[in-house]
Amino acid sequence: MKLKKGPKIVIIIITVLLLIAAGVALFIMLKPKTTKVKEVKILNTIEKYDYHLKDTKTKRYKSMFRELEDILKAKEVDEELYVQKITEMFIYDFYSLADKSTKTDVGGLDFVHPNAIQNFLVNAEDTYYKYVENNIYGDRTQKLPEVDEILINATTKTTYIYNNTEYEAYKINAGWSYTTEEFSSYQKNAALTFIKDDIKLYLVELK
């Protein structure tokens, strides 16, 4: 007597369908995100000084950039106002982490001397930026600090030897706070040294 094949065929079909469903689910889980990473655009440039304003910067930083532009486009540039403004911009951009997309998205680089940038990046990524989580796709939930008030406590004109060359320089002492008390234990003051190389001021020391 021949056995009926119906039940066996049904079992085979169900098994195949389950395998297909499992394969589709696995594909969806392993498929990389296709969300496009936003392309960074330059909104404004102070040509003579080679400062660039990116569209990723916050509203407050954009306002600071416009103030810097006014200072540098004056008939006679007030160097003390210049160094104080870039001090504010550096502090806000470097110590604010909330708007940074990754640990390598280090702020304040526009104001660091070109010869010091590589070491500056390595130190920043190994210390202050070390635990910044990736936010390339805008899905980060990590809470990060944003600088609030910045106070320039002292501005001193001096000289400074950098790479065996003496430059005119400014030493700045500054303090700042954060927008929430949650980050009150973070660094809140620094001593910065800027040298004058041609017409531009560069940060060469941060303590």
Side-chain angles (χ1 to χ4, degrees):
M1 184 173 72
K2 293 182 178 179
L3 295 174
K4 293 182 179 180
K5 296 182 180 180
K8 185 179 284 188
I9 293 173
V10 171
I11 291 172
I12 292 172
I13 292 172
I14 291 174
T15 301
V16 171
L17 290 174
L18 287 174
L19 288 173
I20 292 172
V24 171
L26 186 62
F27 174 77
I28 292 173
M29 289 174 61
L30 297 179
K31 185 180 179 182
K33 292 184 178 181
T34 56
T35 306
K36 289 184 178 179
V37 177
K38 184 181 178 183
E39 183 181 349
V40 176
K41 296 179 180 178
I42 301 298
L43 299 178
N44 193 8
T45 297
I46 304 175
E47 296 286 354
K48 195 174 179 180
Y49 290 81
D50 199 32
Y51 290 129
H52 307 280
L53 178 62
K54 299 175 183 177
D55 65 343
T56 52
K57 296 302 183 184
T58 66
K59 183 178 179 180
R60 182 177 174 189
Y61 187 89
K62 290 173 183 176
S63 177
M64 289 181 180
F65 191 92
R66 288 191 294 269
E67 292 168 356
L68 176 63
E69 186 176 28
D70 289 340
I71 292 169
L72 296 181
K73 285 189 173 182
K75 190 172 182 180
E76 289 187 18
V77 174
D78 186 324
E79 262 187 11
E80 190 164 310
L81 286 180
Y82 172 21
V83 74
Q84 289 175 351
K85 183 52 61 179
I86 61 175
T87 296
E88 290 177 19
M89 294 173 74
F90 172 82
I91 288 171
Y92 179 79
D93 198 26
F94 181 76
Y95 291 100
S96 293
L97 300 179
D99 63 323
K100 304 305 186 292
S101 57
T102 66
K103 64 175 285 186
T104 60
D105 185 17
V106 177
L109 297 182
D110 283 349
F111 310 109
V112 177
H113 196 284
N115 294 339
I117 283 181
Q118 192 57 46
N119 284 338
F120 183 81
L121 279 171
V122 171
N123 290 333
E125 291 168 22
D126 286 344
T127 55
Y128 193 69
Y129 281 70
K130 187 173 184 177
Y131 299 106
V132 175
E133 295 175 3
N134 192 313
N135 195 38
I136 291 294
Y137 300 103
D139 54 359
R140 182 174 63 203
T141 58
Q142 181 186 26
K143 291 184 178 180
L144 293 168
E146 180 180 356
V147 172
D148 190 10
E149 294 184 13
I150 302 168
L151 181 64
I152 305 297
N153 297 314
T155 304
T156 306
K157 191 170 184 179
T158 183
T159 58
Y160 186 85
I161 296 176
Y162 183 68
N163 288 345
N164 299 317
T165 302
E166 185 174 79
Y167 295 89
E168 292 181 19
Y170 287 91
K171 289 185 179 289
I172 307 289
N173 287 316
W176 62 92
S177 60
Y178 295 96
T179 54
T180 66
E181 286 297 315
E182 183 177 359
F183 303 103
S184 59
S185 63
Y186 280 49
Q187 183 176 346
K188 290 181 288 190
N189 54 73
L192 306 90
T193 301
F194 293 85
I195 63 169
K196 183 179 180 182
D197 193 348
D198 194 12
I199 63 170
K200 194 170 179 179
L201 296 172
Y202 292 101
L203 179 67
V204 293
E205 187 175 82
L206 176 66
K207 293 181 179 179

